[in-house]
Amino acid sequence: MSASGPTGDELLTVLATLANPHRLRVIAALSRERTYVSRLARDLGISRALLQLHLRKLEAAGLVSAQLELSPDGKAMKFYEVRPFAYRLTPDAIADAAGTLSTDTEDRDRQEGERDGRT
Amino acid sequence: MSASGPTGDELLTVLATLANPHRLRVIAALSRERTYVSRLARDLGISRALLQLHLRKLEAAGLVSAQLELSPDGKAMKFYEVRPFAYRLTPDAIADAAGTLSTDTEDRDRQEGERDGRT
DNA sequence: CACACCTGCTAGATTTTCTTGGCATGTGCA
DNA sequence: TGCACATGCCAAGAAAATCTAGCAGGTGTG
């Protein structure tokens, strides 16, 4: 029986998302303690706009999640936390996943299908 | 005692290297069977020049290795094979590795040091 | 009201990565 | 010699990712 790991596309998304020093540090910081955007930006020493970009990518990949909360004094704050994950990176695991990678032509076909016609 | 995983920079290199569909397919193909460049290019349906670029990156990251061999009829052929590896991708493992990420300023300092002077 | 926080967005410049196409080398064989 | 197949490299364009700077909105406090 197969171990049934992630699909190729999922693995690829996770890899591409984690392949950035800022995002690794974000994961590291959030795994210690959940925080809100502005504070995290100060801690990491990067601009808020930049951090938001990285947070969006991490969230899109399913590696972190966000909750909008109101602080005691009524300010809206967006808290982020890591969402537990575990991927094995071995030749075999990759070989499994690679089989389900969508091809360039498949992508093109799918997009064309969506364009011309039926919802 | 710490589990002593990869350094941040090493992990980052591996992630960046694997975050590409072609390179995932290369790992998959090589994990099935070692082959030489031209054949692999035909199998994967990509140009040789492109494949060589990806192979260079994979080799630089330590994920594959190459041996130059002479075929029975005397042609030089470069065989590649996967080099066994296993990385755990979890929040904790990343938190560990992130601590040893080199910073931008460190990089700049190092390069300046190399430029002006002493070998 | 001004200030200090919090949030979100986007246009544009910059940098990096990816990809193609061409050229050069070498071997064996008809 | 000409063809097939192997290797390597590089220039240059195309595409994608990154980052900055600036704008917008909200709340509570002095």
Side-chain angles (χ1 to χ4, degrees), chain B residues 44-92:
Chain B
L44 297 178
I46 65 178
S47 73
R48 210 166 37 80
L50 182 56
L51 176 59
Q52 281 177 324
L53 175 89
H54 290 309
L55 285 172
R56 272 196 296 272
K57 293 203 174 190
L58 286 167
E59 189 171 18
L63 300 176
V64 307
S65 59
Q67 301 89 33
L68 194 61
E69 298 179 8
L70 292 186
S71 68
D73 59 337
K75 283 174 191 149
M77 303 165 85
K78 195 165 188 179
F79 278 81
Y80 278 90
E81 60 188 54
V82 287
R83 174 181 264 252
F85 58 86
Y87 291 92
R88 293 189 69 244
L89 242 44
T90 64
D92 282 353

Side-chain angles (χ1 to χ4, degrees), chain A:
Chain A
M1 55 228 86
S2 63
S4 159
T7 67
D9 291 337
E10 179 192 343
L11 182 60
L12 192 53
T13 302
V14 169
L15 289 171
T17 303
L18 290 179
N20 177 290
H22 287 321
R23 293 197 283 267
L24 286 185
R25 290 200 193 91
V26 168
I27 294 284
L30 290 182
S31 79
R32 277 188 284 278
E33 175 191 27
R34 69 195 291 272
T35 26
Y36 57 96
V37 183
S38 289
R39 181 150 126 62
L40 187 52
R42 281 193 296 269
D43 289 354
L44 296 179
I46 64 178
S47 74
R48 208 165 39 80
L50 181 55
L51 176 59
Q52 282 177 323
L53 173 85
H54 290 308
L55 284 173
R56 272 196 296 270
K57 294 206 173 188
L58 285 166
E59 189 171 18
L63 300 177
V64 306
S65 59
Q67 302 89 34
L68 195 60
E69 298 180 9
L70 293 185
S71 68
D73 60 336
K75 282 173 192 152
M77 302 163 87
K78 193 164 190 180
F79 278 82
Y80 277 90
E81 60 189 55
V82 286
R83 175 179 262 251
F85 60 87
Y87 292 93
R88 293 189 68 245
L89 241 46
T90 64
D92 283 353
I94 291 173
D96 280 355
T100 61
L101 274 174
S102 59
T103 62
D104 290 352
T105 42
E106 277 173 7
D107 291 349
R108 227 175 296 128
D109 290 350
R110 181 175 44 69
Q111 294 186 356
E112 280 167 9
E114 287 171 0
R115 248 201 312 284
D116 51 45
R118 57 203 174 290
T119 38

